[in-house]
Amino acid sequence: MEETKFTPQTWPDKPEQATMEGKNKFVGIWIFICSDITLFASVFATYLSLKDKGPAGMEFSAASLFELPLAFVMTMLLLTSSLTSVYAMYHLKNHNFKGVQIWMSITVLLGLGFLALEIYEFYHYVHLGFGYTQSAFSSAFFTLVGTHGLHVVIGLVWIVCLIVRNARRGLSLYNAPKYYAASIFWHFIDVIWVFIFTVVYLMGVLG
Amino acid sequence: MGHDTQVQAKSKKQYEYDRHHNAVHMRKQVINFAIMIFLTFLAFAVVVADFSAYFIKPVILLLAGVQVVLQLYSFMHMDDKKASHMGVISTFVWFGAVIAFTMFLTFLTIIWW
């Protein structure tokens, strides 16, 4: 079981799917992601229907509110964090536990950077008077981007728990699927963000 | 047991081949990342360049679509046909996409008409 000590020579090609448990985790995280797709579809559809809608004479609109430089930096941070978790999975395949931990930690740092910018952005909007209950538009916006932000928080907590809990354990077929599932989830967060920066920010600025 | 598997030591040649294969695969991933960055940059550039909105909107939606497919098939390994249950996973993902599209259509047509 998890006590089996592997060397790079005995480490299986697909460590994340070498065991029955690993195979189940793999298909499990994907089915979760598919249910998450429908969750995001509903909040996206709601946002698109309620964009710029609110009380008569509302001063806020997507075109006047959103700023591209911030969205661009956030996109770069999240996209890069996706690559760093790919690096972690590369080291996972090579049975290099230190590499996995280091790259996963960098992923967490980039994710924290993204989260800090998102909190700043929300704070800024609320400060302008664009709070959650200000209009249908503001509710739909905060629900959509906030649901994504919540996923980032969950992903960060998940990865930090993995890094801390497995720090002394070393790499095994018990924890390899766990790292792999977390990395798939992290990529999915990036997939959703691609649509958010396109539909909310880029198309928002166009009016 | 759920966590058991057959443990087999690789021959030196096999080991070196696999390491090389992993390294080549990682290089491909970095190229995919570069393409994604380029697509992102392009999407922002098209908006900043201030073309007609009727031109920009379909273009950036297309760029997002390409980037997401790239992310799914490279970073999330949906191109790996040997992965367990990949058929089930692809079916679920694409049906999820169909459901998502139907939701957009429903919500938006309710507003338009």
Side-chain angles (χ1 to χ4, degrees):
Chain A
M1 224 177 98
E2 59 229 72
E3 287 82 18
T4 317
K5 284 276 171 267
F6 285 93
T7 64
Q9 280 78 16
T10 59
W11 190 237
D13 278 339
K14 283 187 187 303
E16 75 282 0
Q17 291 165 40
T19 63
M20 182 53 93
E21 181 69 23
K23 286 188 174 75
N24 289 344
K25 279 206 170 69
F26 184 71
V27 75
I29 186 68
W30 270 104
I31 289 183
F32 165 74
I33 282 173
C34 297
S35 69
D36 233 18
I37 291 176
T38 53
L39 165 70
F40 276 105
S42 66
V43 284
F44 259 109
T46 310
Y47 173 80
L48 283 173
S49 328
L50 298 177
K51 184 187 166 208
D52 294 343
K53 307 273 194 306
M58 181 173 73
E59 54 180 314
F60 299 108
S61 70
S64 68
L65 206 58
F66 300 146
E67 279 169 29
L68 284 188
L70 186 69
F72 183 75
V73 174
M74 286 165 81
T75 306
M76 286 300 150
L77 281 176
L78 209 59
L79 200 55
T80 311
S81 82
S82 218
L83 179 76
T84 56
S85 80
V86 171
Y87 266 108
M89 292 310 105
Y90 166 67
H91 289 299
L92 185 103
K93 279 197 191 314
N94 283 344
H95 198 265
N96 172 4
F97 186 55
K98 214 176 157 189
V100 175
Q101 293 286 73
I102 289 171
W103 284 104
M104 275 305 202
S105 307
I106 297 173
T107 306
V108 167
L109 288 180
L110 289 166
L112 280 175
F114 173 87
L115 200 63
L117 288 180
E118 185 152 90
I119 291 170
Y120 162 76
E121 188 196 2
F122 282 10
Y123 175 80
H124 176 65
Y125 293 155
V126 171
H127 195 70
L128 292 175
F130 188 70
Y132 190 83
T133 53
Q134 192 268 332
S135 59
F137 171 43
S138 78
S139 304
F141 167 78
F142 283 116
T143 305
L144 168 59
V145 183
T147 305
H148 177 269
L150 182 68
H151 278 71
V152 173
V153 173
I154 292 170
L156 287 175
V157 171
W158 185 1
I159 296 175
V160 167
C161 284
L162 280 178
I163 292 173
V164 172
R165 278 177 50 92
N166 293 299
R168 285 161 184 237
R169 236 180 224 154
L171 207 51
S172 68
L173 292 181
Y174 167 72
N175 56 24
K178 290 172 183 262
Y179 277 97
Y180 202 84
S183 124
I184 296 272
F185 180 71
W186 193 257
H187 292 312
F188 177 67
I189 291 174
D190 197 28
V191 165
I192 295 299
W193 182 255
V194 169
F195 283 119
I196 292 186
F197 87 67
T198 304
V199 171
V200 176
Y201 294 96
L202 290 180
M203 286 167 77
V205 168
L206 292 173
Chain B
M1 287 291 287
H3 293 289
D4 283 341
T5 191
Q6 244 183 337
V7 180
Q8 217 171 9
K10 290 174 185 170
S11 68
K12 193 166 182 297
K13 262 199 174 147
Q14 180 70 43
Y15 172 70
E16 277 165 7
Y17 173 80
D18 287 343
R19 292 289 273 217
H20 176 71
H21 181 79
N22 286 348
V24 169
H25 188 249
M26 190 61 229
R27 268 202 292 280
K28 273 188 199 154
Q29 297 285 45
V30 175
I31 293 170
N32 285 329
F33 173 73
I35 296 173
M36 287 181 210
I37 290 281
F38 175 70
L39 293 177
T40 306
F41 196 75
L42 208 59
F44 276 89
V46 173
V47 172
V48 172
D50 211 17
F51 293 115
S52 152
Y54 291 103
F55 167 73
I56 298 176
K57 283 182 181 175
V59 168
I60 58 177
L61 281 176
L62 184 70
L63 289 174
V66 172
Q67 195 173 334
V68 161
V69 168
L70 203 58
Q71 179 93 231
L72 286 171
Y73 280 84
S74 67
F75 283 9
M76 293 169 85
H77 308 284
M78 271 177 66
D79 60 341
D80 186 0
K81 293 273 180 284
K82 285 184 199 153
S84 76
H85 301 100
M86 195 38 86
V88 178
I89 290 167
S90 299
T91 313
F92 267 85
V93 168
W94 288 109
F95 267 101
V98 170
I99 291 170
F101 181 72
T102 317
M103 273 195 206
F104 290 136
L105 213 60
T106 321
F107 276 56
L108 288 179
T109 45
I110 267 180
I111 294 297
W112 287 338
W113 293 308

